[in-house]
Amino acid sequence: MMILKTPDELAVMDRANALLHETLRIVVEAAKPGVSTWELDRLAEDHIRAHGGVPAFKGYRGYPATLCTSVNDVIVHGIPSKTQLLRAGDIVGVDGGVVLDGFVGDAAVTVGIGEVAPEAARLMQVTKRCLELAVEFVRPGQRLTDIGEVIQSHAEAAGFSVVRELVGHGIGRAMHEDPQVFNYGPGGRGPELRPGLVLAIEPMINAGKAGVSFDDDGWTARTEDGKLSAHFEYSVAVTENGPWVLGVGGR
Ligand code: MF3
Ligand code: CO
């Protein structure tokens, strides 16, 4: 069942996502060679709590941290660790969730550490562009799978592949609400989008093949072929006037 939010509720979700985006900026600023992914997690949790928020991931199905820090071939859900130090040339996905006044914000970015290989930079750029293109389809009357179609076509035109096993989602009082948001087409299917629906759109794009393998920790999802993967995520509301990317200062 899809849950539509009122304008007042969307305003709360905008604030939750604004705190999250501010947190991600702090984390990205601190992500330098020699810094551990655990230190990034501390920074994030401290900032979220200092501003009246609660980390949304911590304790979710037993997840142990505030952030997911997904380095290189890790697609998503990498667990921060004191022994994992970032190195120049790495790419790291930083995914966070914030609960504020009863609503959840969910967003992610992927950043390079120091100078990265041209192909790694291109992967990040294309994945971010997939998300930006997808946002344009978050409009009343648009069909749900139009989002996945544009993500897939942009990723594959660049020679990359779309992860199938993991998807985006509706979001609100719960982190995961209906519907599932696939990152592949065909378009023109699924429910029509309606004002008040909020979608967490999160393309996960692999440099090589689409296959995923899961570590024994039950969380870490990595590319089967060991090649790089990138991930960007926004929480986006459908409004009468089109897409509202929550927490980034628009509308
Ligand atoms: N953005 C991810 C998701 O929507 C992050 C969840 S990590 C978890 O599923 F640990 F909270 F599951
Ligand atoms: Co999400």
Side-chain angles (χ1 to χ4, degrees), residues 5 7 11-12 29-30 36 41 68 71 73 93-94 97 116-117 120 135 149 152 165 182 198 207 212 226 228 231 251:
K5 283 80 190 176
V12 175
E29 183 64 33
S36 75
D41 199 74
C68 299
V71 178
D73 62 316
V94 182
V116 303
V135 164
E149 182 178 84
Q152 180 183 15
E165 284 87 342
F182 297 97
V198 184
V212 179
L228 297 178
H231 174 224
R251 200 177 309 262

Side-chain angles (χ1 to χ4, degrees), residues 58 84 136 223-224 229 241:
K58 209 167 202 179
Q84 182 180 44
E136 286 310 308
T223 60
E224 225 163 35
S229 186
N241 305 318

Side-chain angles (χ1 to χ4, degrees), residues 34-46:
V35 173
S36 75
T37 51
W38 184 85
E39 288 172 86
L40 300 181
D41 199 74
R42 296 264 26 97
L43 282 175
E45 179 165 0
D46 289 350

Side-chain angles (χ1 to χ4, degrees), residues 21-227:
H21 280 277
E22 192 176 270
T23 304
L24 293 179
R25 280 195 293 277
I26 289 165
V27 168
V28 166
E29 183 64 33
K32 300 265 164 60
V35 173
S36 75
T37 51
W38 184 85
E39 288 172 86
L40 300 181
D41 199 74
R42 296 264 26 97
L43 282 175
E45 179 165 0
D46 289 350
H47 188 76
I48 291 166
R49 292 196 191 279
H51 292 82
V54 174
F57 297 174
K58 209 167 202 179
Y60 178 85
R61 298 190 185 195
Y63 188 76
T66 293
L67 299 176
C68 299
T69 49
S70 303
V71 178
N72 294 336
D73 62 316
V74 176
I75 301 165
V76 287
H77 303 166
I79 301 173
S81 155
K82 285 185 182 176
T83 60
Q84 182 180 44
L85 306 187
L86 297 173
R87 300 187 307 184
D90 284 346
I91 66 170
V92 54
V94 182
D95 189 356
V98 164
V99 185
L100 190 68
D101 294 340
F103 284 87
V104 186
D106 190 3
V109 296
T110 300
V111 293
I113 305 304
E115 202 168 319
V116 303
E119 188 68 352
R122 193 172 73 90
L123 177 67
M124 291 190 287
Q125 209 165 51
V126 166
T127 306
K128 185 173 188 188
R129 186 75 184 134
C130 283
L131 177 56
E132 289 166 353
L133 290 168
V135 164
E136 286 310 308
F137 287 83
V138 181
R139 297 176 184 281
Q142 208 74 46
R143 300 286 288 270
L144 179 66
T145 69
D146 296 345
I147 291 167
E149 182 178 84
V150 69
I151 290 170
Q152 180 183 15
S153 65
H154 188 67
E156 292 181 354
F160 299 140
S161 60
V162 173
V163 170
R164 310 300 164 112
E165 284 87 342
L166 298 145
V167 298
H169 48 94
I171 187 165
R173 290 189 184 274
M175 181 158 68
H176 295 139
E177 296 182 353
D178 287 343
Q180 292 191 19
V181 182
F182 297 97
N183 293 310
Y184 52 90
R189 312 222 174 140
E192 275 191 15
L193 305 184
R194 291 170 55 194
L197 183 65
V198 184
L199 300 176
I201 303 175
E202 45 184 321
M204 289 153 267
I205 306 300
N206 292 354
K209 295 206 170 73
V212 179
S213 79
F214 292 90
D215 286 6
D216 290 337
D217 63 18
W219 285 103
T220 310
R222 47 178 96 236
T223 60
E224 225 163 35
D225 62 11
K227 295 190 175 166

